[in-house]
Amino acid sequence: MRAVHSIVLLVLLSVLHTASGKADTAVGGIGAEVDPMPVNPYPDLLDDEDGVNAPDLLDEAPLLNEPDQLLGDPIFEDDFTFTEYPPEIYDPLEPLNRAMFVFNDKVYFWVLKPTKNAYSYILPSDIRRSIGNAFSNLAAPIRLLNNVLQGRFEDAGVVLSRFAINSTLGVFGFGDPAYVDFDLEPRSADLGQTLGKWKIGDGFYLCLPFLGPSNVRDTVGFVGDIYMHPVPYFSQNFTFDMTYLVTSRVNLLSISPDVYEELKRISLDPYVAARQGYYDYRRSIIEP
Amino acid sequence: MKHFVTTAFVFFYLALTGLNLCADDHSPTEQLQPVLNQLIEVLDDESLKGDALREKRRGKIMAIIASVFDFKEMSRRVLGRTWNEISEKDQQYFVTQFTKLLENVYIGKLESYGGRSYEFVAERIKGKRAQVTTLIPYEESKIPVHYIMQRELDKWMVYDINIEGVSLVRNYMEQFRTILSKEQYDGLIKIIEDKNKSFAEENRRG
């Protein structure tokens, strides 16, 4: 009986999803200009760059105060003036954050990396990937609630469909048939992002012990997300929850590229690189 | 008098280049695509593989990339006001060192990246600037990589790369700004030189 239920639910959800997807394309089609690529779903990166951080020298209204300078050089080679913008990221706790960054660096190289290597040595990568799928599947309520709170109802539908498909056909979420067979990609959302979309400012930058780059808003969001997670809700056992959290993190690390080491390798000031990267990435998912 | 001379020069210059402006009117994507294709060809070239041939391979890659990447513009943007405060000789030297740094970062990334395939999915033009979006497959997903370009006379040239909202130029600019505020230009150039040396050593070790 339960199986029949879930199949009905599954069919309903996929129909709903296809329908809403179609409706969307139709709306996008109206008024779209005739163009080889009429709908550009990617964020507009040409929009906010100027005046935020980098003055655009070749904009319609260049940052040239003296008309002499404009005429003096037709390709603006030498005479342009720069307006210095203050750093965008408010980081009043920088000395403390930098200390935390060093602490995390030690944690990474002394504890996390050896643990990850041992873990990867024991378990083959496809099993680690399946475990990662299961962890991610259990966190679906966070994504569902936040997508709803952000008004992204279509994405919330996808989260629900993925959860239904992967929990059943994917055997408790270890497989990802929702992506493989139904072409449904994950739709992530978190509370820090939700708060950001509600126009709540990020406060100031924080480098959290063990967790790394964050800010006041996203730290609040992280704590809030824990309350949306079903595991602590049902287990009511702190040690179990911490073990769960650490295992899921180590597993995630074992299937992700070495972002931290790469960042360290290519940066001249890894602290600033991580801070700026975090800020820009968060902004890109809050203001698409 | 000064005005007259400069104005005359502008007209003369525009008259000379004006024809060129219309002659070679490629879209940003059309400009970028053949370059990336050539790049992949070199990366796939069996006769150029291996650590021993790194110098030769990178030389070829840099020559290809330089036709569409404007390293001087990147340097100028990344230094901000400091660019105007240093001598022309320093500017030139900075461009070579920063180009070297980007070579190590960007080409090192390309060389280690297995996929070798990409697709052009979108283009956006606003005045003299353009954003060309490519998708690079990574494991099960596809990562959008945006090339930010600007029109320079008759060509579209790349001056920034943006991956998931993170701009290459802006990221280095913020790092440089922090270093400049403490150690001025001389300190910065030394740190970049040291970084390039450490990359060179890393390459030597393989």
Side-chain angles (χ1 to χ4, degrees):
Chain A
M1 194 58 205
R2 192 175 282 172
V4 176
H5 262 174
S6 43
I7 287 169
V8 169
L9 185 71
L10 208 128
V11 170
L12 257 176
L13 283 172
S14 46
V15 168
L16 267 175
H17 174 65
T18 338
S20 59
K22 269 182 192 143
D24 244 44
T25 348
V27 171
I30 296 169
E33 285 170 37
V34 186
D35 196 305
M37 290 176 257
V39 184
N40 188 339
Y42 297 97
D44 183 355
L45 303 168
L46 305 175
D47 208 27
D48 60 7
E49 189 195 64
D50 322 323
V52 177
N53 236 340
D56 180 20
L57 306 164
L58 299 171
D59 207 355
E60 298 307 313
L63 289 155
L64 298 165
N65 305 319
E66 301 293 320
D68 263 3
Q69 290 182 326
L70 188 65
L71 284 174
D73 192 336
I75 47 172
F76 305 155
E77 203 57 71
D78 298 309
D79 290 340
F80 57 78
T81 50
F82 276 104
T83 314
E84 192 79 345
Y85 291 92
E88 254 185 296
I89 305 169
Y90 185 46
D91 188 4
L93 301 181
E94 185 170 335
L96 185 67
N97 282 335
R98 277 193 187 265
M100 220 40 99
F101 191 81
V102 173
F103 171 77
N104 285 343
D105 180 81
K106 301 285 175 251
V107 170
Y108 178 83
F109 283 106
W110 293 351
V111 185
L112 216 47
K113 199 182 169 191
T115 314
K116 180 197 88 169
N117 287 345
Y119 181 79
S120 306
Y121 180 77
I122 299 166
L123 291 175
S125 74
D126 45 348
I127 291 190
R128 279 181 279 128
R129 253 169 243 292
S130 299
I131 293 172
N133 286 341
F135 277 129
S136 161
N137 193 53
L138 275 174
I142 297 177
R143 294 191 292 275
L144 176 65
L145 272 166
N146 281 300
N147 270 314
V148 170
L149 291 173
Q150 291 172 23
R152 291 158 59 193
F153 298 112
E154 198 203 325
D155 288 342
V158 174
V159 172
L160 211 54
S161 315
R162 279 182 53 83
F163 184 71
I165 296 167
N166 287 345
S167 302
T168 51
L169 296 178
V171 196
F172 304 114
F174 282 99
D176 191 0
Y179 176 72
V180 179
D181 301 322
F182 294 82
D183 212 21
L184 292 174
E185 279 180 43
R187 304 293 156 97
S188 54
D190 62 82
L191 189 56
Q193 183 194 27
T194 305
L195 296 174
K197 287 201 183 239
W198 291 352
K199 306 275 178 239
I200 292 171
D202 54 12
F204 49 84
Y205 180 74
L206 282 172
C207 184
L208 300 175
F210 303 106
L211 298 168
S214 189
N215 53 46
V216 176
R217 183 196 61 214
D218 291 345
T219 306
V220 171
F222 177 74
V223 175
D225 281 336
I226 292 174
Y227 282 93
M228 298 183 200
H229 200 292
V231 167
Y233 183 82
F234 286 111
S235 84
Q236 301 288 339
N237 177 335
F238 184 73
T239 319
F240 177 81
D241 296 345
M242 284 313 284
T243 317
Y244 182 90
L245 182 70
V246 171
T247 317
S248 68
R249 288 275 157 157
V250 170
N251 189 76
L252 183 65
L253 197 67
S254 79
I255 52 176
S256 312
D258 284 330
V259 176
Y260 178 64
E261 281 180 67
E262 183 64 20
L263 176 108
K264 239 186 121 172
R265 201 175 74 93
I266 66 174
S267 311
L268 304 177
D269 185 341
Y271 173 79
V272 173
R275 185 178 69 186
Q276 189 67 30
Y278 182 77
Y279 181 90
D280 284 338
Y281 170 67
R282 293 300 288 178
R283 195 172 62 169
S284 78
I285 62 167
I286 288 168
E287 312 162 7
Chain B
M1 186 59 199
K2 192 188 166 212
H3 271 270
F4 176 74
V5 172
T6 47
T7 318
F9 179 70
V10 170
F11 279 115
F12 185 56
Y13 191 84
L14 287 178
L16 273 178
T17 54
L19 289 169
N20 243 341
L21 276 174
C22 323
D24 190 21
D25 208 11
H26 289 300
S27 79
T29 307
E30 284 167 358
Q31 198 101 54
L32 192 58
Q33 197 152 18
V35 175
L36 293 192
N37 287 341
Q38 281 175 4
L39 199 65
I40 286 172
E41 248 169 60
V42 173
L43 286 167
D44 276 345
D45 192 342
E46 289 297 331
S47 66
L48 285 169
K49 279 194 176 155
D51 286 345
L53 292 161
R54 179 180 282 112
E55 297 252 323
K56 196 182 170 199
R57 183 175 63 233
R58 290 210 169 169
K60 278 202 161 182
I61 291 173
M62 285 311 280
I64 293 167
I65 286 183
S67 69
V68 77
F69 276 52
D70 187 344
F71 291 112
K72 190 177 175 191
E73 180 64 18
M74 288 180 173
S75 306
R76 194 162 77 161
R77 281 173 180 268
V78 91
L79 269 190
R81 202 181 57 191
T82 308
W83 175 265
N84 284 349
E85 294 167 357
I86 59 177
S87 71
E88 203 171 311
K89 212 176 140 211
D90 281 345
Q91 288 178 351
Q92 280 170 6
Y93 184 66
F94 181 83
V95 174
T96 60
Q97 285 302 305
F98 187 56
T99 305
K100 194 83 200 154
L101 181 70
L102 292 180
E103 175 189 323
N104 284 316
V105 170
Y106 181 71
I107 303 185
K109 202 79 225 149
L110 281 178
E111 285 171 337
S112 67
Y113 163 66
R116 297 282 185 271
S117 66
Y118 68 96
E119 49 184 311
F120 282 89
V121 286
E123 178 182 288
R124 176 180 278 123
I125 302 174
K126 270 191 183 173
K128 290 182 172 128
R129 303 195 301 141
Q131 167 188 350
V132 176
T133 305
T134 62
L135 284 184
I136 310 260
Y138 180 77
E139 291 185 347
E140 275 181 8
S141 58
K142 284 178 177 169
I143 300 172
V145 175
H146 309 275
Y147 291 86
I148 313 295
M149 307 171 86
Q150 75 182 12
R151 197 170 171 89
E152 293 168 14
L153 299 179
D154 62 339
K155 274 190 97 178
W156 289 97
M157 299 289 277
V158 176
Y159 69 86
D160 195 7
I161 298 173
N162 190 304
I163 303 170
E164 300 207 75
V166 180
S167 141
L168 183 80
V169 167
R170 196 185 299 164
N171 201 288
Y172 277 112
M173 183 167 82
E174 290 301 327
Q175 294 178 48
F176 288 5
R177 177 142 62 179
T178 310
I179 296 166
L180 283 167
S181 68
K182 286 185 211 127
E183 310 183 35
Q184 283 76 45
Y185 176 75
D186 294 336
L188 175 68
I189 196 73
K190 193 171 177 313
I191 291 174
I192 299 176
E193 282 168 350
D194 288 347
K195 194 79 196 172
N196 282 331
K197 268 181 214 147
S198 82
F199 273 119
E201 217 151 274
E202 192 179 286
N203 290 339
R204 216 171 299 130
R205 275 183 275 120

